[in-house]
Structure formats: C-alpha cells, structure tokens
Amino acid sequence: MSTTDTTPPTSGVVAKLSTLDRLLPVWIGLAMVAGLLAGRLIPGLGDVLNAITVDGISLPIALGLLIMMYPVLAKVRYDRLDTVTGDRRLLWASLALNWILGPALMFALAWLTLPDLPEYRTGLIIVGLARCIAMVIIWNDLACGDREAAAVLVALNSVFQVIAFGLLGWFYLAVLPGWLDLPTTDLAVSGWQIAKSVLIFLGIPLLAGYLTRTLGEKRKGRDWYENRFLPRIGPTALYGLLFTIVILFALQGEQITNRPWDVARIALPLLAYFAIMWAGSYALGASLGLGYERTTTLAFTAAGNNFELAIAVAISTYGATSGQALAGVVGPLIEVPVLVALVYVSLALRKKFIDSKVRSAARMGDI
C-alpha cells in the first residue's frame, strides 16, 4: 500500500504502489548493506551509537522506531476499535498463535537445527518469546491489512508480553528441557524491564497517534486529516524504518560479517519459522472467514517478532558479544527481507480474496 494513500485500490495494488513502496526491497537491501559496511569501515562507530541508550537500546535505534511507528498509528481510526474487540475469532486466534504456537515452534526448530550450539539455540528461543509490537505495524500497513485490528492485536501482545515473557522464558529454557532430558539454561529478565520496553516503543507512538487524530479531527475535520495531513506524514514511517535498519546493522556489522557460517546456521530455523508461522496463520484466518484485511493482520502479527526486545534481553543477560546476542541480531537480518517479500505475496493473494467474494455474492444472487 502506498504510504501516501489512505484508500488503496482493490486491484492492481502492486502496480500502483508509489515508487518508494514499490522499490521497498531495494531500499531495505541497500540500508542493510550500508549499515554492514558502516559498521565494518568506520572505527568506533558502534561506541558512538551506543553512547546513549534507551532501555538498553541505542538512542538512534529508539528514535528510528518511534519515528517509524508514529505515522501508522496516527492513521488508525480509534473510533472503530470496538469492531475489532468484538471479533473473538480474531482475538483468540491471535493469542493462540502468538503465545502457544509461536514459542513452541521456535523451541522445536532451535533444538532440531542447533543441537550442538547452545548459545545460538537459546538466542533463537528468546526471539521466539518476543512477540512483535513494532515493525509488524509497517508490514501490515504495506500489505493493506486492517489498521484498527493491528493496533488492537499489538496492544494485546504488549500486555501479554509483560505478563508472559519471563514465565515462558523460564518454561522453555529451564522446565521443558528438563522434562525432555535436555540441557537447561537460565534467563534473568524482570517484568519491569519488559514493561519499560513496551511503554517506550509502543506506548509513546500510540499516545502520539491517538492525540494527533483526536486533536486534528477536532480542529480541522476528518476530511483535512485523512486527505491532507496523513499523506504528508505517511512516508515518514518508511524513512524511520530504513534509518533503523542502517543503524541496527551498523552496530552489529562486524559480528555478522566475521561469522558468516554461524549466521547461515542461525538463519535456517528463522527462515522456517517465518514461513510456517505466516502461512499457517494466513490459512487459519482464511478458514475462519476473517476476510483479506484481518487475515493479513493475523498473519503478520503472528509471524513478526520483537527483535528489539530480544536483543536487549540477550545483551543484558549474556553480554553484547555472546552467541545469544548474535542470534538476536540475525533475527532482523532474516525477518526484514522475508516479511517484505511476504507483503508482496499477500498483495498478490488479495485479488483471490476479492474474486472469491464476488463469486460467492454472485451465487447468492447479490449481484
């Protein structure tokens, strides 16, 4: 979906994307390469970028995340949220996918593919526990998903993240391996640490988006807000995304380029995880009759992960040079291009949903 168009067309979506959106994979690829090269070629860059941190995250990354999320949350129609909260099929499906299937799938894949590499295995399990609250909003918006549903599901994930992250970490790293006669690992992370991450990286842009819409519509009207203000701020989300990617890969460029085989080993279960979660969630949403927009939202909110939180937890618990931290860093290296590709897959599937709806209506005599 074009970030400058609040009412995307129902056919030929990919062909009608703005240049910025249509070439998004290219921009993201260039951002990743630029970050990796900067991290390798500029001495002391990592120290400068990490000089100031926000909840364990480099200040430039924190700013990028906030800039990235604000425009999309400003687009949300908060007066429509009740239509989402009343959809119990969507809510229960999201909770089951995010907090039962997702962590269990990552645990299984980590042990199946990395039985001899405990540090990377632990790092991947931590990634699986950190459910997405940030970039999923961008992917959902680009794929023309339901913005209001995305806001509700992200908020729901955030609440569960504060409550469940520590408990699930203890279960998957200490309890379940013991039951299966596998080596156990400890994970020291406080609920307050997770709550701070949620409040900063979701709470601030969510509040800003809500206040912007409320005050903007009150003073200028909905027509001005939807057709003049939103198109102006829309591209900012992608600029924030690209900036965040450059900084993130600049900070970890040396680790990634110095250990290519390790990166490949970590990438394999991640690729399988994203593909299985997205495809399975999409199939579930379609079978439940959620329609294209909410099926898309369900798939992206289930497949995405909060790698910012995973990296912060891994670094604070095991150290910045640990295998656990490297596994967290490889997460966005794989997740970003894969989910961008899935945006285009989703847009291609959109026509099938529309055609199916038209055929069903025709059979019922509605057209």
Side-chain angles (χ1 to χ4, degrees):
M1 182 184 69
S2 171
T3 53
T4 61
D5 185 3
T6 58
T7 57
T10 58
S11 63
V13 177
V14 176
K16 296 181 182 180
L17 289 171
S18 69
T19 301
L20 179 65
D21 291 341
R22 187 166 58 252
L23 297 180
L24 182 61
V26 176
W27 308 138
I28 285 180
L30 291 174
M32 292 168 68
V33 171
L36 290 173
L37 290 176
R40 289 283 296 179
L41 300 177
I42 303 177
L45 178 62
D47 293 335
V48 173
L49 294 175
N50 275 322
I52 303 176
T53 63
V54 177
D55 195 37
I57 299 294
S58 166
L59 178 60
I61 291 182
L63 291 175
L65 290 170
L66 296 176
I67 293 169
M68 175 184 72
M69 293 177 66
Y70 162 69
V72 181
L73 290 170
K75 294 178 183 179
V76 171
R77 286 284 302 274
Y78 293 94
D79 56 338
R80 293 180 179 171
L81 294 184
D82 58 334
T83 66
V84 180
T85 56
D87 190 343
R88 295 191 177 184
R89 295 174 304 168
L90 176 66
L91 298 181
W92 283 112
S94 179
L95 287 175
L97 289 167
N98 275 286
W99 297 104
I100 298 176
L101 179 61
L105 176 62
M106 188 69 90
F107 175 87
L109 290 171
W111 272 100
L112 287 172
T113 58
L114 301 170
D116 57 328
L117 297 171
E119 289 190 359
Y120 298 156
R121 186 176 64 236
T122 298
L124 283 183
I125 292 172
I126 293 172
V127 170
L129 298 175
R131 311 314 300 169
C132 196
I133 66 169
M135 284 192 179
V136 69
I137 294 177
I138 291 287
W139 312 137
N140 177 76
D141 209 47
L142 288 169
C144 301
D146 187 319
R147 286 182 190 140
E148 288 70 38
V152 170
L153 296 186
V154 164
L156 192 64
N157 274 342
S158 301
V159 172
F160 269 78
Q161 196 139 254
V162 173
I163 298 170
F165 187 95
L167 291 174
L168 288 175
W170 167 73
F171 177 76
Y172 280 106
L173 293 174
V175 177
L176 186 57
W179 290 351
L180 301 175
D181 291 327
L182 301 171
T184 60
T185 310
D186 292 327
L187 175 63
V189 58
S190 70
W192 173 235
Q193 179 183 356
I194 300 165
K196 283 194 299 179
S197 176
V198 171
L199 288 172
I200 292 170
F201 298 117
L202 175 64
I204 291 175
L206 182 63
L207 178 62
Y210 173 77
L211 291 176
T212 301
R213 177 172 279 279
T214 301
L215 296 177
E217 289 189 356
K218 183 177 181 180
R219 294 180 180 180
K220 297 281 191 173
R222 178 162 293 175
D223 181 69
W224 173 88
Y225 187 86
E226 295 279 354
N227 299 313
R228 298 187 63 184
F229 178 73
L230 289 183
R232 291 177 184 173
I233 68 168
T236 308
L238 290 187
Y239 299 147
L241 170 65
L242 296 175
F243 174 78
T244 302
I245 290 171
V246 171
I247 300 300
L248 179 66
F249 286 100
L251 284 170
Q252 304 296 337
E254 188 171 354
Q255 280 202 75
I256 292 172
T257 54
N258 281 345
R259 300 154 82 174
W261 176 241
D262 289 354
V263 169
R265 290 284 306 271
I266 297 167
L268 179 61
L270 282 169
L271 284 169
Y273 172 83
F274 293 130
I276 294 170
M277 285 298 295
W278 191 89
S281 302
Y282 212 96
L284 176 61
S287 68
L288 291 174
L290 296 180
Y292 172 79
E293 291 187 348
R294 290 191 176 179
T295 293
T296 297
T297 299
L298 180 67
F300 280 102
T301 53
N305 288 84
N306 185 359
F307 60 79
E308 303 88 11
L309 175 61
I311 293 171
V313 169
I315 290 175
S316 63
T317 304
Y318 302 104
T321 60
S322 65
Q324 290 89 342
L326 178 61
V329 170
V330 175
L333 178 68
I334 305 303
E335 177 178 354
V336 170
V338 168
L339 291 189
V340 168
L342 290 173
V343 166
Y344 286 83
V345 172
S346 187
L347 289 173
L349 291 172
R350 190 180 190 214
K351 187 175 186 300
K352 294 185 180 296
F353 271 81
I354 294 171
D355 290 345
S356 175
K357 186 175 181 179
V358 170
R359 287 194 298 269
S360 297
R363 284 195 299 268
M364 297 173 64
D366 291 341
I367 61 174

